[in-house]
Structures are given as C-alpha cells and as structure tokens.
Amino acid sequence: MTLQNDPLLWSQEGTLYWLSCFTKPLIRRRSLYKSGVTFPFAAFGLIASLAASGAVGQTFIDNGQQVIVPDTQASPWNTGFLLVGNNGTGSLIIHQAGIVNSDFSGIGVATGGNGTVTLTDPGSEWNVSDLSVGDSGTGNLTVSSGAILTSQGNITIGNAPGGIGAVTVVGPGSELHSNNTILGGFAVGHFGIGSLTIADGGLVTSDLASIGSQSSGEGAVTVTGAGSRWDNDRDLIVGENGIGSLEITDAGVVTSELGRIGNAAGSVGSVTVRGPGSQWNNLGPGGLAVGFLGRGALNISGGGVVSSGLGRIGNSVGSEGVVTVSGVGSQWNN
C-alpha cells in the first residue's frame, strides 16, 4: 500500500483510488469493499485514520459535544475533515444564516458512532467536498426552513455495512445538492441502510443516483407533498444491486433521464407513484425498465403519472417485472 498527500492517493493491487478532500470527489468507493480490503469504517475509516495521525486537518465533534454555528463556533466556519459522532455521540447545528465549509465529512462515522446534524433557517449553508451519513455508525441529517447543503462530490446515506443513515429535506427553499457525476455518487443504502425523505416543498438534486446500491444495501426514498422534488440529471436506479424502494405521493415529483427498477440479477426494486400531481418523469431515450436483470415492481394509482420515452417490463431472461396502473387519471405514458 502506498500513500501520498494532496492529492491523497491509495494504491492497492494495481488499483488506484483518489481520496483527495481538496480537489476531487471520491472515486470507486465501492471497490474498497469489492477488493476485499477492509477498514474500520469504509473509505472514511482510512481518511479518519490519516486525520487522527495528523496527516490532514480534522475536526471531531464527539463524546457528547455539541457545536452551534453561529454560537459556540463563529460563522463562517472553515474546517478540514469534519466528523460528527466519530466513535461516540456528537451534534452540529447550523442556523440563523450560519455557514460551514468542510472537506470530507461524516455523520455517525465509526461503529458505535452516533451523529446528528441540523441545518435550518434561510441563508444557512453547509458546503462539503463529500458527505457520508451513517458511515459505519448511525447518522441523521435534517435540512429545513430554507437551509441549503451542497456537496461537490459524493453523498452516501448508509455507506458501509452496519451503517444506518437518515436524511430529511423539508420545507420550501430547503435544498440538498450532490454534484458528483459518478454512478453511486448519490447513494441511498450503499452497503448499509439508508433513507431519504423529501417533503413539503424540499428539493434534492443529483447527477446519477441509486437506491440499494450494493447487494447488502437497503435504501428507501420518499418524495411527498406539493413542490417536493428530486431532480436527477441522468440515471436513477431503484434496486441497483440490493433492495431499493421509491415512493412518490401527494404531488411529489421525481425526474431522471433513465430509470431502472431491479437493475442487477438478485436485486429487488419497487416504485409507487400515488395521488394527483405525483409524477416520475424519465426524460431520456433510454426510458424506464421494470425488472432489468432483477425483480422490479411499479405501482401507479390514484391519479399518479409515470412518463418514459421507452417502457420495458421483464427486460432480460430471468428478470421479473410487474406493473399495476389503477384508479382514475393514473397513467404510464411511453
């Protein structure tokens, strides 16, 4: 194993991983597990270990500590690695137009770690290079009342095996943005268990997204309420290799270029679109596949609408797809 700093590179068995918190997003995080190499808490375990050794700047909010910005910490707060609930319990509150700028950041990092971050009020911002919520511990993130969180790289919710992450984006003007362009760069239930709730006018944007990314991953996303949106510039995979579910209700809207439900062999994906104004719009020519190589189910009811340029049910030999359209106004438009 060889290590270099800024940019930080890790080379193992001829495979190069870029872990820089300064200029690039984390690339091929999944292969950290596929290679059979394990760390205390995934890629963030390696980063935190380096941080603890003094190789890079870091801030731990741990052992019952609570940090409030602005209050106990002045705004803007510019820090390096920011780990909330590393081995113990930690809490971060960003409110009253407070601003935090950090590099790689984790909430509920190591096994037994429990972290909570609350981002609230108009003008409040948290800008990160990469974010893991529930890395190997338990992490909770709430973005509300007009606050904005932006990641220039990955956002993973339930990253490592045993990790449990929950993210809520609620209220008009509340926004969560992931700018990574690598599939899995926005992952809900990566190797762990993850949930995402977008409610009452909240907005989430991502480029490529998956729910239930890896075989051990379990992810659930709910988009509910008028004005609530999840906008994906490219693919949205529900049940990529694991178990994924997406529920769109009460006039929530999801957009993507291409959609798949039950992507890989052994995966299980389910999508529910229910109620007037509830929509899943697949805008690209690839359309929507229900049961691509795995098992997929799509349920449209009560006036919900799904649109796709092309529709496929049970795409491949051995795959299984089930689509149910019921109720006045319910549609699947191809």
Side-chain angles (χ1 to χ4, degrees):
M1 177 184 293
T2 60
L3 293 172
Q4 291 177 276
N5 196 22
D6 194 15
L8 177 64
L9 299 176
W10 170 50
S11 179
Q12 173 74 19
E13 298 177 353
T15 303
L16 184 66
Y17 303 92
W18 188 297
L19 303 178
S20 174
C21 64
F22 305 104
T23 57
K24 296 289 184 180
L26 175 60
I27 296 175
R28 297 184 66 184
R29 175 180 291 161
R30 303 175 197 182
S31 297
L32 291 170
Y33 294 102
K34 288 183 177 179
S35 68
V37 180
T38 59
F39 295 98
F41 36 108
F44 276 78
L46 174 60
I47 294 167
S49 296
L50 291 168
S53 71
V56 293
Q58 83 292 328
T59 300
F60 295 97
I61 303 176
D62 212 6
N63 300 318
Q65 183 183 13
Q66 181 181 77
V67 173
I68 303 173
V69 181
D71 189 350
T72 58
Q73 181 69 49
S75 175
W77 184 24
N78 301 312
T79 184
F81 291 91
L82 179 56
L83 306 177
V84 183
N86 183 40
N87 293 292
T89 299
S91 172
L92 170 64
I93 297 173
I94 308 168
H95 69 154
Q96 298 176 358
I99 297 174
V100 176
N101 301 305
S102 62
D103 295 316
F104 279 99
S105 300
I107 307 171
V109 184
T111 300
N114 193 318
T116 301
V117 175
T118 301
L119 183 59
T120 188
D121 299 330
S124 298
E125 299 179 12
W126 187 12
N127 303 301
V128 304
S129 62
D130 282 90
L131 177 65
S132 179
V133 183
D135 201 74
S136 284
T138 299
N140 289 278
L141 167 66
T142 300
V143 182
S144 66
S145 302
I148 297 175
L149 189 153
T150 302
S151 171
Q152 295 304 320
N154 299 301
I155 295 179
T156 54
I157 307 170
N159 183 42
I164 301 173
V167 174
T168 300
V169 182
V170 58
S174 303
E175 301 178 6
L176 175 69
H177 303 288
S178 171
N179 296 330
N180 199 353
T181 58
I182 300 169
L183 184 60
F186 190 96
V188 183
H190 191 47
F191 284 88
I193 298 172
S195 66
L196 169 65
T197 300
I198 308 166
D200 301 333
L203 170 67
V204 173
T205 66
S206 52
D207 189 85
L208 292 157
S210 64
I211 308 172
S213 300
Q214 299 304 308
S215 58
S216 63
E218 297 182 23
V221 176
T222 300
V223 183
T224 184
S228 301
R229 297 184 63 92
W230 185 13
D231 292 331
N232 298 279
D233 288 341
R234 289 191 277 173
D235 302 355
L236 172 57
I237 311 299
V238 184
E240 185 184 2
N241 290 284
I243 299 172
S245 67
L246 169 63
E247 187 171 275
I248 308 166
T249 64
D250 298 330
V253 175
V254 174
T255 63
S256 53
E257 184 178 35
L258 175 149
R260 286 182 181 172
I261 308 172
N263 178 64
S267 66
V268 179
S270 65
V271 175
T272 297
V273 184
R274 183 176 63 249
S278 300
Q279 302 174 38
W280 184 12
N281 300 313
N282 294 279
L283 307 176
L288 172 63
V290 184
F292 187 71
L293 292 171
R295 292 168 51 197
L298 172 62
N299 190 339
I300 309 168
S301 64
V305 176
V306 174
S307 300
S308 55
L310 174 69
R312 290 170 287 179
I313 305 172
N315 179 75
S316 306
V317 174
S319 66
E320 179 182 332
V322 177
V323 176
T324 303
V325 182
S326 62
V328 176
S330 302
Q331 303 173 41
W332 183 12
N333 300 317
N334 293 286

